[in-house]
Amino acid sequence: MTIAKGSIAVDRRGKDKGADFISVVAFGKTAEHIEKYYTKGMKANICGHIQTGKYEDKDGKTVYTTDIVVSNY
């Protein structure tokens, strides 16, 4: 199964100018399409759901994750 991982930049609005970088993951045919046709800096419109998780790093600390799992692009 093909897996595509990366991040997207989302511009902030209002007084707090800047961007937030959100982790994104896609699987299967969706991942293949993203890897083939999308490049760094390209504008993208994606749909998906938020998935949270956690794991222990090598020091034994708990690390929490939040990703968008892409279902449509």
Side-chain angles (χ1 to χ4, degrees):
M1 174 181 282
T2 305
I3 301 172
K5 293 183 110 180
S7 61
I8 57 171
V10 178
D11 289 333
R12 292 183 189 163
R13 295 183 181 190
K15 294 181 183 180
D16 251 0
K17 297 287 182 184
D20 293 311
F21 294 88
I22 302 169
S23 296
V24 177
V25 63
F27 300 97
K29 297 283 186 188
T30 303
E32 291 173 13
H33 181 86
I34 289 170
E35 287 181 337
K36 186 173 182 179
Y37 296 106
Y38 287 74
T39 59
K40 182 177 180 178
M42 181 181 218
K43 289 187 177 186
N45 188 18
I46 61 169
C47 295
H49 66 275
I50 293 176
Q51 181 172 306
T52 60
K54 67 178 180 175
Y55 65 91
E56 285 190 16
D57 66 7
K58 62 183 177 183
D59 298 326
K61 293 182 183 178
T62 302
V63 177
Y64 295 93
T65 62
T66 303
D67 297 308
I68 295 177
V69 179
V70 180
S71 59
N72 201 356
Y73 45 89

